[in-house]
Coordinates of all heavy atoms in Angstrom, one line a residue:
V1041 N 21.2 20.8 14.7 CA 21.5 19.4 14.5 C 20.4 18.6 15.2 O 19.9 17.6 14.6 CB 22.9 19.1 15.2 CG1 23.1 17.6 15.3 CG2 24.0 19.7 14.3
A1042 N 19.9 19.0 16.3 CA 18.8 18.3 17.0 C 17.5 18.3 16.1 O 16.9 17.3 16.0 CB 18.5 18.9 18.4
V1043 N 17.2 19.4 15.6 CA 16.0 19.5 14.7 C 16.1 18.7 13.5 O 15.2 17.9 13.1 CB 15.7 21.0 14.4 CG1 14.7 21.1 13.2 CG2 15.3 21.8 15.6
C1044 N 17.3 18.7 12.9 CA 17.5 17.8 11.7 C 17.4 16.4 12.0 O 16.9 15.6 11.3 CB 18.9 18.2 11.1 SG 19.0 19.8 10.2
T1045 N 18.0 16.0 13.2 CA 17.9 14.6 13.6 C 16.4 14.2 13.8 O 16.0 13.1 13.4 CB 18.7 14.4 14.9 OG1 20.0 14.9 14.7 CG2 18.7 13.0 15.3
V1046 N 15.6 15.0 14.5 CA 14.2 14.7 14.7 C 13.5 14.6 13.4 O 12.7 13.7 13.2 CB 13.6 15.8 15.6 CG1 12.1 15.7 15.7 CG2 14.2 15.7 17.1
L1047 N 13.8 15.5 12.5 CA 13.1 15.5 11.2 C 13.5 14.2 10.4 O 12.6 13.6 9.7 CB 13.4 16.7 10.4 CG 12.8 18.0 10.9 CD1 13.2 19.2 10.0 CD2 11.2 17.9 10.8
L1048 N 14.7 13.8 10.5 CA 15.2 12.6 9.8 C 14.5 11.4 10.4 O 14.0 10.5 9.6 CB 16.7 12.5 9.9 CG 17.3 11.3 9.2 CD1 17.2 11.4 7.7 CD2 18.8 11.1 9.6
M1049 N 14.4 11.3 11.7 CA 13.7 10.2 12.3 C 12.2 10.2 11.9 O 11.7 9.1 11.6 CB 13.8 10.3 13.8 CG 15.3 10.2 14.3 SD 15.9 8.5 14.3 CE 15.2 7.9 15.8
W1050 N 11.6 11.3 11.9 CA 10.2 11.4 11.5 C 10.0 11.0 10.1 O 9.0 10.3 9.8 CB 9.7 12.9 11.7 CG 8.3 13.1 11.5 CD1 7.2 12.5 12.1 CD2 7.7 13.9 10.5 NE1 6.0 12.9 11.5 CE2 6.3 13.8 10.6 CE3 8.3 14.8 9.6 CZ2 5.5 14.6 9.7 CZ3 7.4 15.5 8.8 CH2 6.0 15.4 8.9
S1051 N 10.9 11.4 9.2 CA 10.8 11.0 7.8 C 11.0 9.5 7.6 O 10.3 8.8 6.8 CB 11.8 11.7 6.9 OG 13.1 11.3 7.2
Y1052 N 11.9 8.9 8.4 CA 12.0 7.4 8.4 C 10.7 6.7 8.9 O 10.4 5.7 8.3 CB 13.2 7.0 9.2 CG 14.5 7.1 8.6 CD1 15.7 7.5 9.3 CD2 14.7 6.8 7.2 CE1 16.9 7.6 8.7 CE2 15.9 7.0 6.6 CZ 17.0 7.3 7.3 OH 18.2 7.5 6.7
V1053 N 10.1 7.3 9.9 CA 8.9 6.7 10.4 C 7.8 6.7 9.3 O 7.1 5.8 9.0 CB 8.4 7.4 11.7 CG1 7.0 7.0 12.0 CG2 9.3 7.1 12.8
E1054 N 7.7 7.9 8.6 CA 6.7 8.0 7.6 C 7.0 7.1 6.4 O 6.1 6.5 5.8 CB 6.6 9.5 7.1 CG 5.9 10.4 8.0 CD 5.6 11.7 7.4 OE1 5.9 11.9 6.2 OE2 5.0 12.6 8.1
L1055 N 8.3 7.0 6.1 CA 8.6 6.1 5.0 C 8.3 4.7 5.3 O 7.8 3.9 4.4 CB 10.2 6.2 4.7 CG 10.7 5.3 3.6 CD1 10.1 5.7 2.3 CD2 12.2 5.4 3.6
T1056 N 8.5 4.2 6.5 CA 8.1 2.9 6.9 C 6.6 2.7 6.9 O 6.1 1.6 6.4 CB 8.6 2.6 8.4 OG1 10.0 2.9 8.4 CG2 8.4 1.2 8.8
Q1057 N 5.8 3.7 7.3 CA 4.4 3.6 7.2 C 3.9 3.5 5.8 O 3.0 2.7 5.5 CB 3.7 4.8 7.9 CG 3.9 4.7 9.4 CD 3.3 6.0 10.1 OE1 3.0 7.0 9.4 NE2 3.2 6.0 11.4
L1058 N 4.5 4.3 4.9 CA 4.1 4.3 3.5 C 4.5 3.0 2.9 O 3.7 2.4 2.1 CB 4.7 5.5 2.8 CG 4.2 6.8 3.1 CD1 5.0 7.9 2.3 CD2 2.7 6.9 2.6
S1059 N 5.6 2.4 3.2 CA 6.0 1.1 2.7 C 5.0 0.0 3.1 O 4.7 -0.8 2.2 CB 7.4 0.8 3.1 OG 8.4 1.7 2.6
S1060 N 4.6 0.1 4.3 CA 3.7 -1.0 4.8 C 2.3 -0.8 4.1 O 1.7 -1.7 3.7 CB 3.5 -0.9 6.3 OG 2.9 0.3 6.7
Q1061 N 1.9 0.5 3.9 CA 0.6 0.7 3.1 C 0.7 0.3 1.7 O -0.2 -0.3 1.2 CB 0.3 2.2 3.2 CG -0.2 2.7 4.5 CD -0.4 4.2 4.5 OE1 -0.2 4.9 3.6 NE2 -0.9 4.7 5.7
V1062 N 1.9 0.5 1.1 CA 2.1 0.0 -0.3 C 2.0 -1.5 -0.4 O 1.3 -2.0 -1.3 CB 3.4 0.5 -0.9 CG1 3.8 -0.2 -2.2 CG2 3.4 2.0 -1.1
V1063 N 2.5 -2.2 0.6 CA 2.5 -3.6 0.6 C 1.0 -4.1 0.8 O 0.5 -5.0 0.1 CB 3.4 -4.2 1.7 CG1 3.1 -5.7 1.9 CG2 4.8 -4.0 1.4
E1064 N 0.3 -3.4 1.6 CA -1.1 -3.8 1.8 C -2.0 -3.5 0.6 O -2.8 -4.4 0.2 CB -1.7 -3.0 3.0 CG -1.2 -3.4 4.4 CD -1.7 -2.4 5.5 OE1 -2.5 -1.6 5.2 OE2 -1.2 -2.6 6.6
I1065 N -1.7 -2.4 -0.1 CA -2.5 -2.1 -1.3 C -2.2 -3.1 -2.4 O -3.0 -3.5 -3.2 CB -2.2 -0.6 -1.7 CG1 -2.8 0.3 -0.7 CG2 -2.7 -0.3 -3.1 CD1 -2.5 1.8 -0.9
K1066 N -0.9 -3.5 -2.5 CA -0.5 -4.4 -3.5 C -1.2 -5.8 -3.3 O -1.7 -6.4 -4.2 CB 1.0 -4.6 -3.6 CG 1.7 -3.5 -4.3 CD 3.2 -3.9 -4.4 CE 3.9 -2.8 -5.2 NZ 5.3 -3.0 -5.4
S1067 N -1.3 -6.2 -2.0 CA -2.0 -7.4 -1.8 C -3.5 -7.3 -2.1 O -4.1 -8.2 -2.6 CB -1.8 -7.9 -0.3 OG -2.4 -6.9 0.6
E1068 N -4.1 -6.1 -1.8 CA -5.5 -5.9 -2.1 C -5.7 -5.9 -3.6 O -6.7 -6.4 -4.1 CB -5.9 -4.5 -1.6 CG -6.4 -4.5 -0.2 CD -6.9 -3.1 0.2 OE1 -7.7 -2.5 -0.5 OE2 -6.6 -2.7 1.3
I1069 N -4.8 -5.3 -4.4 CA -4.9 -5.3 -5.8 C -4.9 -6.7 -6.4 O -5.7 -7.1 -7.3 CB -3.8 -4.5 -6.5 CG1 -4.0 -3.0 -6.2 CG2 -3.6 -4.8 -8.0 CD1 -2.9 -2.1 -6.7
T1070 N -4.0 -7.6 -5.9 CA -4.0 -9.0 -6.4 C -5.3 -9.7 -6.1 O -5.8 -10.4 -6.9 CB -2.8 -9.7 -5.8 OG1 -2.8 -9.6 -4.4 CG2 -1.5 -9.2 -6.3
T1071 N -5.8 -9.5 -4.9 CA -7.1 -10.2 -4.5 C -8.2 -9.6 -5.4 O -9.1 -10.4 -5.8 CB -7.4 -10.0 -3.0 OG1 -7.4 -8.6 -2.7 CG2 -6.4 -10.7 -2.2
L1072 N -8.2 -8.3 -5.6 CA -9.3 -7.7 -6.4 C -9.2 -8.2 -7.9 O -10.2 -8.4 -8.5 CB -9.2 -6.2 -6.4 CG -9.7 -5.5 -5.1 CD1 -9.5 -4.0 -5.1 CD2 -11.1 -5.9 -4.8
Q1073 N -8.0 -8.3 -8.4 CA -7.8 -8.8 -9.8 C -8.3 -10.3 -9.9 O -9.0 -10.6 -10.9 CB -6.4 -8.7 -10.2 CG -5.9 -7.3 -10.5 CD -4.4 -7.2 -10.8 OE1 -3.7 -8.1 -10.5 NE2 -4.0 -6.1 -11.4
S1074 N -8.1 -11.1 -8.9 CA -8.6 -12.5 -9.0 C -10.1 -12.5 -8.9 O -10.8 -13.2 -9.6 CB -7.9 -13.3 -7.9 OG -8.3 -12.8 -6.6
E1075 N -10.7 -11.6 -8.0 CA -12.1 -11.5 -7.9 C -12.7 -11.0 -9.2 O -13.8 -11.4 -9.6 CB -12.5 -10.5 -6.8 CG -12.4 -11.1 -5.4 CD -12.9 -10.2 -4.3 OE1 -13.9 -9.5 -4.6 OE2 -12.3 -10.1 -3.3
E1076 N -12.0 -10.0 -9.9 CA -12.5 -9.5 -11.1 C -12.6 -10.6 -12.2 O -13.6 -10.7 -12.9 CB -11.6 -8.4 -11.6 CG -12.0 -7.8 -13.0 CD -10.9 -7.0 -13.6 OE1 -9.8 -7.0 -13.2 OE2 -11.3 -6.3 -14.6
A1077 N -11.6 -11.5 -12.2 CA -11.6 -12.5 -13.2 C -12.7 -13.5 -12.9 O -13.4 -13.9 -13.9 CB -10.2 -13.3 -13.2
K1078 N -13.0 -13.8 -11.7 CA -14.1 -14.7 -11.3 C -15.5 -14.0 -11.7 O -16.3 -14.7 -12.3 CB -14.1 -15.0 -9.8 CG -13.0 -15.9 -9.4 CD -13.0 -16.1 -7.9 CE -11.8 -16.8 -7.4 NZ -11.8 -16.9 -5.9
L1079 N -15.6 -12.8 -11.4 CA -16.9 -12.1 -11.7 C -17.1 -11.9 -13.2 O -18.3 -12.1 -13.7 CB -16.9 -10.7 -11.0 CG -17.0 -10.7 -9.5 CD1 -16.9 -9.3 -9.0 CD2 -18.3 -11.3 -9.1
R1080 N -16.1 -11.7 -14.0 CA -16.2 -11.7 -15.4 C -16.7 -13.0 -16.0 O -17.6 -13.1 -16.9 CB -14.9 -11.2 -16.1 CG -14.7 -9.8 -16.0 CD -13.4 -9.4 -16.8 NE -13.1 -8.0 -16.7 CZ -13.5 -7.1 -17.5 NH1 -14.2 -7.3 -18.5 NH2 -13.1 -5.8 -17.3
A1081 N -16.1 -14.1 -15.4 CA -16.5 -15.4 -15.9 C -18.0 -15.6 -15.5 O -18.8 -16.2 -16.3 CB -15.7 -16.5 -15.3
Q1082 N -18.4 -15.2 -14.3 CA -19.8 -15.4 -13.9 C -20.7 -14.5 -14.8 O -21.8 -14.9 -15.1 CB -20.0 -15.0 -12.4 CG -19.4 -16.0 -11.5 CD -19.6 -15.5 -10.0 OE1 -20.0 -14.4 -9.8 NE2 -19.1 -16.4 -9.1
Y1083 N -20.3 -13.3 -15.1 CA -21.1 -12.4 -15.9 C -21.3 -13.0 -17.3 O -22.4 -12.9 -17.9 CB -20.4 -11.0 -16.0 CG -21.1 -10.1 -16.9 CD1 -22.2 -9.4 -16.5 CD2 -20.6 -9.8 -18.2 CE1 -22.8 -8.5 -17.3 CE2 -21.2 -8.9 -19.0 CZ -22.3 -8.2 -18.6 OH -23.0 -7.3 -19.4
E1084 N -20.2 -13.5 -17.9 CA -20.4 -14.1 -19.2 C -21.3 -15.4 -19.2 O -22.0 -15.6 -20.1 CB -19.0 -14.5 -19.8 CG -18.2 -13.3 -20.1 CD -16.7 -13.7 -20.5 OE1 -16.4 -14.9 -20.5 OE2 -15.9 -12.7 -20.8

């Protein structure tokens, strides 16, 4: 029971870290897409 509890807590910590990374990556994607639109306009 103790091992299962520790593993459950560890998986919750990893899930929280992955969720924060997903949010960061999504914000990066939106900034990169806006930069891409600007650079395409400059290229044309």
Side-chain angles (χ1 to χ4, degrees):
V1041 168
V1043 167
C1044 289
T1045 305
V1046 168
L1047 289 176
L1048 181 67
M1049 297 284 278
W1050 184 59
S1051 67
Y1052 278 143
V1053 167
E1054 282 192 3
L1055 180 66
T1056 306
Q1057 289 175 351
L1058 288 175
S1059 297
S1060 65
Q1061 288 176 357
V1062 166
V1063 169
E1064 289 174 6
I1065 289 173
K1066 281 186 178 181
S1067 65
E1068 276 185 44
I1069 285 174
T1070 54
T1071 56
L1072 289 175
Q1073 285 175 344
S1074 64
E1075 282 185 39
E1076 177 193 15
K1078 289 178 187 176
L1079 290 175
R1080 283 187 185 264
Q1082 288 177 357
Y1083 177 76
E1084 290 173 1

